[in-house]
Amino acid sequence: MEFLELKNLTKIYQKDILAIDKIDLKIKDGEFLVLLGPSGCGKTTTMRMIAGLEDVTEGEIFIEGKLVNNLQPRERGVSMIFQSYAIWPHMTVFNNIAYALKIKKMSKEKINETVKKVAKMSNIEEYLNRYPSQLSGGQQQRVAVARAMAVDPKLFLMDEPLSNLDAKLRVSMRTDLKEMHKRSGATTIFVTHDQSEAMSLADRIVIMNTGTIEQIGTPNEIYHDSKTMFVADFIGSPSTNFVDVKIISKDNKLFAKNDAFELPIDDKFNDKLHGYIDKDVVFGFRPENLVLSSDEEKLFDIDVVLVEPQGSHSVIVGRLLSKQIKIVSDEVRDMKNIKTLPIKSNGIYFIFDKETEKRIC
Amino acid sequence: MKNKYKKWFPYFLLTPALLYYVLFWIRPVLRAFFESMTDYDGSFSLMFFSKVINESMFTAALRNSLLFALISVMLQFTVAFMMALLLNKKFKGSNLLLFVALIPMAVPPAAVAILWKTGFSTFGWINNLLITLNLIKEPILWMTAKGYNALLFLILIDTWTVLPSVMIILLAGLQNLNKEYEEAGLIFGASRFQIIKDIIMPILKPTIITAVILRMIAAMQVWMISVMMFGYGRVPFLVERIAYYTDMVPMLKESYKMSLTYSVVVTTIVMISVMIYLRVNKKKEKEVRI
Ligand SMILES: Nc1ncnc2c1ncn2[C@@H]1O[C@H](COP(=O)(O)OP(=O)(O)O)[C@@H](O)[C@H]1O
Ligand SMILES: [Mg+2]
């Protein structure tokens, strides 16, 4: 049985703002699930409905098979790390962590023991007597984590918990959170708009777009098997290059053709592309799947605009048919005198339906 | 050179305000202290303090002022805080409710007294309303209320008048409060009441202290509604005595010094009350920390 299930979940704010549009989602026990999507796509709303902080307009939320739509947040066994941390400014770190336990009427010794334990796990033992204002952002974040762990929740909810930290701290906290998840084994839903955060943390990623789910899958599935143009575009940095082509058939062989090139398509796709012959589709090339080529083997030339060195590799920004193309290469370093480059496909690409923007193959 | 200029510049900017204070504030205050502590011929004497304390109305005025301040501040704070909590929740009609709640603020004190005086007269609209609603048979003789009843009566009228101003301060504080503090409370198991007591009130404390102190000072100085409703001497207050000596009997030889002495007494009591209140709050804070 699933640990958490969302059925047909819908949220409408103020009568006409459709924030969440009929989403279905199942989360396994102990899973680390990441909700990923651009700002305003409804991640926070989804999380708040699961927590019980926001009314559900339509649909159902089940935790361990039990309908929780009408339960108070405290009756749901969830714990949350807020984006602003929301650690109470008038309480010491100790009292922040202990508050929930005091409410549960836990004994003094037990409270002390629990607070010590979670403080140790989140590395804030020496700050227990301090007030939040006397802590750095990273330390405050750890207090929020410790407070959330202290109640030993069945479900952890984290809403962009790392977004207020500087880049370096963000990466190290990321590792810490992952470790803590491994140790506690609590089911976790983590919200972020940062794809690299999502990729490195998630067991599975849920990609959201304007209130709907685009794709659910492991980080590798999401990247290598993107189901929609939105996902192909959103995931990956630089993102996927989209090229308009027409599918044509010559002597029972399919080609993708436009003004710049004619690319033979692998025969294994023939079935799926059957209905698309002589129609326009969109090809998606990940930046690493367009590679430098010799003049004899090239598919097309790009006009080089600039090169962004990244150390281990370079991002070549070029133009093809007056559209921007980005290519990742570890061969080219210095581009001073290069105006054009011959490029070929390494055989890996997505083909999308132009209307539905869904993947054909 | 530049540093010196920087150092003195703020004081230069403050000069007009300082001048104003010296002329219109410090001078009269010092004068009041001086007059209250001297005899007619200018020699040091506490004669007027003893006169004030032994005056027949003084005990009643002191008791009324203190009771009025204590009860009205508690009542007003409690009701205003509940209203602010309610209005802080966005719901249908909350803006309209806020507008209605703010109306008494727009009514000047003299008009308030007239409004209530006509309302509470034997055949005024309040008796009419109560009779129409079949709540009473005979008109109630409100204006003949005496002693504590009259005091309570004044407290209620004052509360009606100042509630919006207290409420608006608290509401402003609530609206600045990070909503996630409350939500964290909900998630971590606190009840509505516990959230108010353990989270909202402590975080809002600076705002609450401001509101309470402003009310305490104003309540200690109440006089106009008493005079408007009942006239001088029926329900005496400390500041009502000042008004009495300056307005009603200004010709008496002692009036000037009596009213200034009363002023000094009121100022002292207000200052002591505020200090006690702040001290008590500090102590509470320490307890919370441990
Ligand atoms: N309290 C609210 N009232 C009205 N609209 C809201 C409210 N909260 C969020 N929204 C709207 O719902 C949509 C989803 O918001 P949100 O869940 O916060 O997105 P995300 O967390 O993915 O950035 C947005 O269009 C936002 O404007
Ligand atoms: Mg959000």
Side-chain angles (χ1 to χ4, degrees), chain B residues 123-181:
Chain B
F123 299 104
W125 59 268
I126 290 171
N127 274 336
N128 274 339
L129 184 72
L130 291 178
I131 290 172
T132 317
L133 290 176
N134 253 332
L135 291 173
I136 53 170
K137 293 264 175 312
E138 298 287 304
I140 297 173
L141 301 179
W142 303 98
M143 303 307 289
T144 60
K146 277 202 208 57
Y148 290 121
N149 279 342
L151 188 65
L152 188 65
F153 197 34
L154 292 177
I155 288 174
L156 291 179
I157 293 175
D158 183 62
T159 298
W160 180 85
T161 319
V162 305
L163 212 50
S165 58
V166 184
M167 200 247 337
I168 212 113
I169 296 176
L170 296 173
L171 186 60
L174 282 176
Q175 283 174 344
N176 274 328
L177 204 70
N178 181 352
K179 283 257 176 319
E180 293 193 342
Y181 290 144

Side-chain angles (χ1 to χ4, degrees), chain B residues 27-258:
Chain B
R27 218 181 64 115
V29 168
L30 288 180
R31 173 131 202 115
F33 272 91
F34 174 78
E35 292 288 347
S36 69
M37 284 188 263
T38 52
D39 207 336
Y40 294 115
D41 58 9
S43 60
F44 176 78
S45 149
L46 292 178
M47 179 178 93
F48 285 96
F49 280 102
S50 105
K51 252 194 154 143
V52 160
I53 289 168
N54 290 321
E55 205 191 25
S56 60
M57 292 260 179
F58 176 76
T59 325
L62 179 65
R63 187 197 58 215
N64 284 345
S65 290
L66 290 179
L67 273 178
F68 184 91
L70 193 71
I71 298 172
S72 73
V73 170
M74 287 199 306
L75 181 69
Q76 286 156 14
F77 172 75
T78 313
V79 179
F81 193 57
M82 291 196 300
M83 278 170 69
L85 284 172
L86 181 70
L87 288 173
N88 191 39
K89 297 267 163 283
K90 279 273 155 270
F91 56 90
K92 237 183 165 175
S94 62
N95 278 333
L96 183 72
L97 195 62
L98 177 63
F99 176 74
V100 172
L102 291 182
I103 287 177
M105 232 167 129
V107 185
V112 170
I114 291 167
L115 180 74
W116 292 112
K117 195 169 171 133
T118 52
F120 282 116
S121 68
T122 311
F123 299 104
W125 59 268
I126 290 171
N127 274 336
N128 274 339
L129 184 72
L130 291 178
I131 290 172
T132 317
L133 290 176
N134 253 332
L135 291 173
I136 53 170
K137 293 264 175 312
E138 298 287 304
I140 297 173
L141 301 179
W142 303 98
M143 303 307 289
T144 60
K146 277 202 208 57
Y148 290 121
N149 279 342
L151 188 65
L152 188 65
F153 197 34
L154 292 177
I155 288 174
L156 291 179
I157 293 175
D158 183 62
T159 298
W160 180 85
T161 319
V162 305
L163 212 50
S165 58
V166 184
M167 200 247 337
I168 212 113
I169 296 176
L170 296 173
L171 186 60
L174 282 176
Q175 283 174 344
N176 274 328
L177 204 70
N178 181 352
K179 283 257 176 319
E180 293 193 342
Y181 290 144
E182 250 183 278
E183 293 176 347
L186 280 176
I187 293 280
F188 290 107
S191 64
R192 279 295 336 151
F193 176 72
Q194 281 168 324
I195 287 174
I196 293 171
K197 175 173 76 75
D198 297 339
I199 296 171
I200 297 183
M201 289 195 37
I203 299 180
L204 219 56
K205 201 158 137 188
T207 309
I208 292 175
I209 289 181
T210 309
V212 168
I213 285 182
L214 285 177
R215 275 320 303 156
M216 266 169 72
I217 294 172
M220 219 67 101
Q221 298 176 352
V222 67
W223 70 280
M224 181 129 79
I225 48 171
S226 171
V227 173
M228 299 286 275
M229 293 296 288
F230 299 117
Y232 283 102
R234 265 277 290 290
V235 187
F237 289 98
L238 291 173
V239 177
E240 181 249 12
R241 293 289 88 199
I242 302 174
Y244 172 78
Y245 279 110
T246 39
D247 272 5
M248 294 303 286
V249 290
M251 308 314 284
L252 293 182
K253 188 183 176 202
E254 57 175 22
S255 288
Y256 180 57
K257 276 179 171 279
M258 282 300 274

